[in-house]
Amino acid sequence: MVNTPTESMIKDTFFQTPIHYEEKPEWVDELNTICKPYLDDAKTVLKNIIKKRGTDYGYVYHSNEIASDKKLKFFYDYVGQKSAEFLLDMGYSLKNHSLHFTEMWVQEFPKDGGGTHPQHVHANSHVSGFYFLDAQGSYPMFHDPRTRLDMISLPQQDKTKLTMSSSYISWKIQPGTLILIPAYIMHEYVPQTKEPFKFIHFNVQAIEKRFR
């Protein structure tokens, strides 16, 4: 079979997967202050275990639910609206649905390193989102949602380039970066150093109004 270019066919792209992001650094200090007691509580739970081991290596601090905190109303109002815009931009109708947070928590990687957050999705959600409070030590990675692709993947021509053959995407984020993705995208965090890494994670579900 020849490998030389032939007369071009019409090319189009379908079944795209969006990722929306923006920078909101003006929120970082206030959100860090609001989230600190939740992280302090999470660290207290592990305090005796970590003291006995002499290190927090490998322990990720994960708060309880924070969406009911009235001090966070400005945050969940904003990301809730952006989540609605995200779904509308994808072409979905929300005329008979309302959006609700199923989860929202703050998470911090251990100071001694070894923080893990392996690839996963969140069930019963339509939008997943992340707001980064400290982003020096790790970075997010989003995996290709075309699950069948793994069965027939070929070697990539150039792994340094983002193409239709890429199996994941990642980029360097900074404190104040807000990211929204469809909840069906597998995501993870790749620990690089012992530098601080902390973020708010939330999931949003569209529920039919007749069930509310």
Side-chain angles (χ1 to χ4, degrees):
M1 183 176 294
V2 297
N3 293 319
T4 54
T6 61
E7 184 176 345
S8 296
M9 297 180 70
I10 297 171
K11 176 183 175 181
D12 212 332
T13 304
F14 301 98
F15 311 116
Q16 298 95 328
T17 296
I19 295 179
H20 290 194
Y21 55 95
E22 64 176 308
E23 302 301 327
K24 301 290 288 184
E26 65 271 22
W27 290 349
V28 171
D29 290 343
E30 183 175 2
L31 288 174
N32 263 316
T33 299
I34 295 171
C35 290
K36 185 178 185 301
Y38 293 97
L39 284 173
D40 288 345
D41 287 345
K43 292 175 183 179
T44 298
V45 171
L46 295 172
K47 183 177 179 180
N48 290 334
I49 297 174
I50 291 170
K51 184 177 180 180
K52 185 176 181 180
R53 293 181 71 230
T55 179
D56 70 349
Y57 182 88
Y59 284 99
V60 175
Y61 303 109
H62 189 297
S63 80
N64 292 323
E65 182 272 326
I66 65 174
S68 60
D69 192 322
K70 294 181 180 179
K71 295 188 292 295
L72 284 169
K73 186 176 186 303
F74 77 95
F75 178 73
Y76 60 71
D77 280 352
Y78 185 86
V79 297
Q81 176 62 33
K82 290 298 180 181
S83 295
E85 294 172 7
F86 180 82
L87 292 170
L88 291 171
D89 185 67
M90 289 181 72
Y92 293 112
S93 172
L94 297 178
K95 183 173 61 175
N96 296 315
H97 291 73
S98 57
L99 298 189
H100 302 268
F101 288 99
T102 57
E103 300 170 291
M104 183 184 290
W105 69 93
V106 59
Q107 188 167 325
E108 183 176 8
F109 276 13
K111 65 179 178 60
D112 291 337
T116 59
H117 192 105
Q119 58 179 285
H120 64 285
V121 295
H122 296 276
N124 298 318
S125 299
H126 294 100
V127 179
S128 287
F130 319 86
Y131 181 81
F132 296 92
L133 299 167
D134 212 333
Q136 301 177 55
S138 300
Y139 61 87
M141 181 179 291
F142 304 110
H143 293 265
D144 188 342
R146 299 171 296 177
T147 55
R148 296 176 181 84
L149 183 63
D150 284 341
M151 297 186 293
I152 52 92
S153 285
L154 296 169
Q156 297 178 48
Q157 296 177 25
D158 186 346
K159 291 184 178 181
T160 65
K161 294 181 179 179
L162 184 61
T163 69
M164 292 185 196
S165 67
S166 301
S167 59
Y168 64 86
I169 182 173
S170 64
W171 66 88
K172 294 294 182 182
I173 38 82
Q174 58 189 358
T177 299
L178 172 66
I179 300 177
L180 298 179
I181 64 172
Y184 60 77
I185 294 183
M186 283 272 192
H187 55 276
E188 66 176 307
Y189 292 97
V190 181
Q192 291 292 95
T193 68
K194 295 181 181 179
E195 296 299 318
F197 187 65
K198 181 169 41 174
F199 59 95
I200 295 173
H201 196 343
F202 56 89
N203 295 297
V204 177
Q205 183 184 45
I207 300 177
E208 284 193 67
K209 292 178 181 178
R210 63 192 177 101
F211 294 121
R212 298 299 300 178

